[in-house]
Amino acid sequence: MLCLDTISDRPGHFDKLFRTCHAIAQLPEDCLDITIDFHDCKFLGHTGVAFLGGLAHLIQARGGQVNFNWDSLCPNIRMNLAQNGFLHHFGYGSSPWDGNSIPYRCDLQHDATALGDYLRYKWLGKGWVNISSGLQAAIAGRVSEIYLNAFDHSQSEIGVFSCGQHYPSLGMLHLTVIDFGIGLPTSVRSLPQNASFTTEEALFWAFQSGNTTKQNDISRGLGLNLLQEFVTKNHGNLMVFSSNGYVAIDDNGVRYENKDINFSGTLVNIALRCDEQYYCLASEVPPIEEPLF
């Protein structure tokens, strides 16, 4: 049995998720009949929702069985999981509905149109931020780079998972995107010239303009530098966890840290301020170099 603890967007709570993933990865395949219990979970944030969905699919991909003890959910978490579609995705409860949640998604392959609609209308287009449609498209284009990066570089066999939340009391709008692939540092080190990079050096390289791990005629970069530039201009924050590395981008600058816990995939959490005073004019956002939708 897996007893899920309270999960918010604090770095220490991310570590809980990574430890859980690591523990499950060590189990032999004949021990992968796992029941997830929520008795100890008093709050399950959007990051926990996206991660839990991906973890369930990972277990199933290894031939295991996942059972959710839905009766152990506290009422507020049950309501949120119903609203964002997590319950419906796993065959429980009614269809999701509009609210403060940005729907849970599981994408097995890249669909630019579907993801563009998700980002523009399910995340940015609900009136939580008072910005023009042009700026919505520009922001969505930056965040689409996260998905493109995951599908292009992660080698994840189970797809990409995402979920978000509007937190009115905090004036923040969040979105988390997770893959369970090889991780950014491993992908960066796949290039011979980067083979000796530490995790911190590999993550720093991934955020530089124009750098890409593609080894063919496609020259598009990882795109993380564009997202970093937007978050910096708009006083939001960005967290990236991959391998044993952690990148935090906020008003205090950019920090690269090594973590004790190793997560082989990549987790990206972006938070935007809902107050329009933090949003630059659309003309100030760097142009998108190629169509993303």
Side-chain angles (χ1 to χ4, degrees):
M1 177 179 291
L2 168 60
C3 295
L4 193 69
D5 204 349
T6 293
I7 299 295
S8 68
D9 62 350
R10 299 175 183 176
H13 288 195
F14 288 78
D15 291 346
K16 294 180 185 178
L17 297 174
F18 301 149
R19 288 190 182 95
T20 298
C21 185
H22 179 75
I24 289 177
Q26 305 309 306
L27 294 175
E29 292 188 359
D30 58 357
C31 294
L32 285 177
D33 187 352
I34 295 176
T35 297
I36 298 176
D37 184 272
F38 298 90
H39 276 110
D40 295 330
C41 185
K42 306 307 178 186
F43 179 83
L44 183 60
H46 62 282
T47 298
V49 174
F51 197 96
L52 186 60
L55 188 61
H57 282 273
L58 184 65
I59 293 169
Q60 292 167 348
R62 291 186 59 196
Q65 177 69 37
V66 178
N67 303 291
F68 294 94
N69 182 3
W70 302 123
D71 292 337
S72 64
L73 285 167
C74 64
N76 63 319
I77 296 178
R78 180 190 295 273
M79 181 69 70
N80 193 55
L81 293 182
Q83 183 186 112
N84 65 31
F86 186 90
L87 296 186
H88 186 71
H89 178 85
F90 287 98
Y92 183 81
S94 59
S95 298
W97 64 90
D98 283 341
N100 282 327
S101 295
I102 292 87
Y104 166 78
R105 283 187 68 91
C106 167
D107 289 281
L108 298 178
Q109 58 187 7
H110 185 251
D111 183 334
T113 300
L115 287 170
D117 288 346
Y118 173 71
L119 294 172
R120 291 189 65 180
Y121 306 119
K122 298 294 185 180
W123 181 45
L124 293 174
K126 290 192 171 185
W128 294 320
V129 289
N130 184 22
I131 55 177
S132 69
S133 60
L135 187 50
Q136 283 185 14
I139 299 171
R142 296 323 182 246
V143 179
S144 289
E145 291 286 350
I146 297 175
Y147 290 92
L148 286 168
N149 177 47
F151 284 105
D152 280 354
H153 307 283
S154 76
Q155 301 180 30
S156 173
E157 298 180 354
I158 60 171
V160 180
F161 305 87
S162 46
C163 190
Q165 188 75 26
H166 173 222
Y167 296 96
S169 62
L170 300 176
M172 299 296 291
L173 182 61
H174 285 253
L175 184 73
T176 290
V177 181
I178 305 171
D179 71 70
F180 288 76
I182 63 173
L184 269 175
T186 299
S187 179
V188 169
R189 286 192 288 258
S190 68
L191 297 178
Q193 65 268 31
N194 299 341
S196 64
F197 277 5
T198 65
T199 295
E200 182 175 330
E201 290 169 338
L203 289 173
F204 179 84
W205 185 93
F207 273 88
Q208 304 312 300
S209 177
N211 283 345
T212 177
T213 58
K214 279 288 187 181
Q215 300 184 57
N216 53 28
D217 293 333
I218 300 174
S219 60
R220 184 181 61 79
L222 293 171
L224 292 174
N225 67 295
L226 296 176
L227 187 57
Q228 174 183 342
E229 184 174 352
F230 175 79
V231 167
T232 301
K233 282 187 176 182
N234 293 277
H235 303 277
N237 64 74
L238 177 69
M239 293 188 292
V240 179
F241 296 84
S242 194
S243 185
N244 65 326
Y246 167 55
V247 185
I249 299 169
D250 53 29
D251 285 342
N252 295 317
V254 183
R255 301 183 304 281
Y256 294 85
E257 299 178 8
N258 290 321
K259 305 284 289 183
D260 294 333
I261 306 301
N262 192 312
F263 173 54
S264 62
T266 300
L267 186 155
V268 179
N269 186 74
I270 179 171
L272 304 178
R273 293 186 181 271
C274 294
D275 191 333
E276 62 265 30
Q277 70 172 306
Y278 291 103
Y279 287 83
C280 59
L281 297 174
S283 60
E284 296 177 1
V285 179
I288 299 173
E289 296 179 356
E290 61 177 320
L292 296 175
F293 308 127

